[in-house]
Structure formats: structure tokens, C-alpha cells
Amino acid sequence: MRFGFSFMLGATLTGLVILGGLLAPWLAHFDPVLDADLMNAELPPDWTYWFGTDAQGRDVYSRILYGAQISLTVGIVSQLINTAIGVTLGMSGAYWGGWWDDLVNGLTNVMLAIPSLIFALAVMAVLGPGLISLLIALGLTNWSWTCRIARSSTLSLKSLGYVQAAQTLGYGDTRIMFTQILPNIMGPVLVMATLGMGSAVLSEAALSFLGLGIQPPFPSWGSMLTDARQLIQLAPWTAIFPGLAIFLAVLGFNLLGDGLRDILDPHMRARKS
């Protein structure tokens, strides 16, 4: 199996973000919250503070590493929720059809008509700021595209011979969906989940930037950009490095998703061969 350039570059960038988050306690030079020293505030990058310091004298490099933990947590957990909702609704709607399929289609169309960030803002306004509220808001936001993919894939599979054979053997609907259909639609679902992680990282940064995500003093790339607004001319590194971290993380997930699509889709492989 050949791995394309997009997959390799995406896997490299994503791997660096994951390693940075997992190894943050060992790679960070300072505590991201407690090691604040106003005497060293707004210092430019040097051998001690690799990415400089912020207005409270905290090490920007250490805070970016710990911020990766939050971004990865939000991306993975929210996509697990999105994927579970989208796959369950799309697969069951296509398999059972009738009024349930109409209801799923109508709900999907409504969700697609609402900007995801606006919907997340509304949920956060009800639940309040914080990590749990953020996970719930983003977990309920972007399932509609996964639902569409799961539904279309199930429609093309449910009339195939092996599904009809399972029905003849007396398998229940739930067993058929989760043992016969689900394994065969996981390719496009996995691609959508990978692409969705990049979107979740970007949404978390946007919500934290607006003050509805991770609350200070805990490090979040979005909240770091909020703090850097007043320092953009005096200490531009406080905005450059968190923004670069967001850019590389989102780019990595997007390239990884594109690479997985090329690997898992036989039509794409045939087109490029």
C-alpha cells in the first residue's frame, strides 16, 4: 500500500501535535499556570524562553504544549460524539426507511442550515463556559455530514447479497447494522472523523478566543490569542506561536483526512494510478 505525500505530511504534523501534548510534562520548561513572573513579562524568545513570555511572565512554549492536550481532548472526544450520533442516525434511517428516515433527513437538513459555530455558541450560552460544556457543544454540532455519508453508504449496501443472507438467517436489524453494514462504511466515516478533528480544534480555539471555552489561567491556544490582542505590537510572539500551533494542527488533520481518503477509496487509487 502506497502512502501519498498528503498522508505522510498530515501524519507527521498530527504526530508532532500528539507527541507534544502527551509529553508536555517532560518537554515543558515551566509550569504553564503557576510559573508566572512579572519581572520576566513580555520577554522575546531566547535560550531560556524559546517562544518568549506573555504579559504575566509565563513561558509561551510550555503553555502551547499543554494547550495541545486541550485541543486533542476536544478534537477526539467531540468527534467520537459526532461520529456516534451521525452513524447511528444515518445508518438506521437508511436501513429502516419510512417515517424514521424522513425524520432523520429533516433533522439533518436543519443542522446543515445552521452555521456550526453559531449553534455551538448557543449551546455554550446555555451551558456556560468550561471544558465539559465545550465538549457537549462541539459534540452536538457537526454530526450531520457524517449522518449523510453513513446514510448514503448504507443505502448502497443494504440490498447486497450478504445483508439479505443475514436477514434470511434471522439476524435482527440491530445486529445486521452493526455487524454487517457498519464495518463496511467505516472507511468514509473515518475520513470524515479525521477531517472533523481539524474543524473541532479550530472551533475550540474560536470559542476560547471569545471567552466561552477554556477559562484562564488554564492554557488554550484560543485564549492565548485573546491575551495576545493587547500585545500584538509590543510582543508579537505571544500571538504568532499560538496561531502557528492552530494552523499546523488543523493542516495536519486535514492532510491526514485527505490521505486516508486516497488510501481507502479504490476509485481515488485507480484515478491516481
Side-chain angles (χ1 to χ4, degrees):
M1 181 182 294
R2 292 178 56 189
F3 297 108
F5 176 76
S6 293
F7 178 85
M8 296 301 297
L9 181 57
T12 300
L13 293 175
T14 304
L16 290 175
V17 174
I18 293 174
L19 286 177
L22 293 176
L23 301 179
W26 295 275
L27 295 177
H29 299 162
F30 301 92
D31 186 282
V33 176
L34 300 178
D35 287 340
D37 184 2
L38 293 178
M39 297 296 294
N40 291 322
E42 302 174 20
L43 291 180
D46 57 23
W47 289 109
T48 302
Y49 303 102
W50 289 0
F51 292 172
T53 61
D54 61 11
Q56 285 76 44
R58 296 171 299 193
D59 182 39
V60 174
Y61 166 74
S62 300
R63 288 177 63 80
I64 285 178
L65 288 176
Y66 278 92
Q69 295 180 340
I70 294 175
S71 294
L72 290 173
T73 300
V74 170
I76 293 173
V77 175
S78 65
Q79 279 309 116
L80 286 175
I81 299 173
N82 282 325
T83 301
I85 295 174
V87 168
T88 302
L89 290 178
M91 190 168 55
S92 62
Y95 187 81
W96 286 327
W99 68 269
W100 177 245
D101 191 31
D102 293 338
L103 179 62
V104 170
N105 271 329
L107 186 59
T108 302
N109 290 331
V110 169
M111 292 300 299
L112 288 173
I114 302 174
S116 58
L117 188 58
I118 299 299
F119 183 80
L121 281 170
V123 175
M124 293 292 292
V126 174
L127 299 178
L131 179 60
I132 301 301
S133 300
L134 187 62
L135 293 176
I136 295 174
L138 295 181
L140 297 176
T141 300
N142 293 319
W143 56 265
S144 50
W145 288 111
T146 303
C147 180
R148 280 284 178 87
I149 290 175
R151 181 180 180 275
S152 62
S153 299
T154 302
L155 284 174
S156 64
L157 293 176
K158 72 174 187 177
S159 60
L160 296 183
Y162 71 93
V163 176
Q164 295 179 348
Q167 293 171 340
T168 303
L169 292 173
Y171 287 13
D173 290 346
T174 303
R175 182 178 180 183
I176 291 174
M177 282 189 286
F178 285 94
T179 63
Q180 305 298 317
I181 295 178
L182 181 60
N184 291 288
I185 67 173
M186 283 308 296
V189 169
L190 180 61
V191 172
M192 181 58 62
T194 305
L195 294 171
M197 287 185 186
S199 177
V201 169
L202 197 59
S203 297
E204 181 275 323
L207 291 170
S208 295
F209 181 81
L210 295 173
L212 292 174
I214 306 302
Q215 298 300 293
F218 299 103
S220 165
W221 294 341
S223 61
M224 291 174 69
L225 287 176
T226 300
D227 296 337
R229 286 184 302 174
Q230 307 299 326
L231 305 173
I232 193 67
Q233 293 183 335
L234 297 176
W237 54 86
T238 58
I240 291 175
F241 291 111
L244 186 60
I246 295 171
F247 168 75
L248 292 177
V250 174
L251 178 64
F253 282 121
N254 287 342
L255 290 175
L256 185 61
D258 287 340
L260 285 174
R261 181 197 59 190
D262 295 343
I263 294 171
L264 297 175
D265 188 347
H267 299 290
M268 291 296 297
R269 291 201 303 267
R271 197 175 303 160
K272 291 187 175 184
S273 61

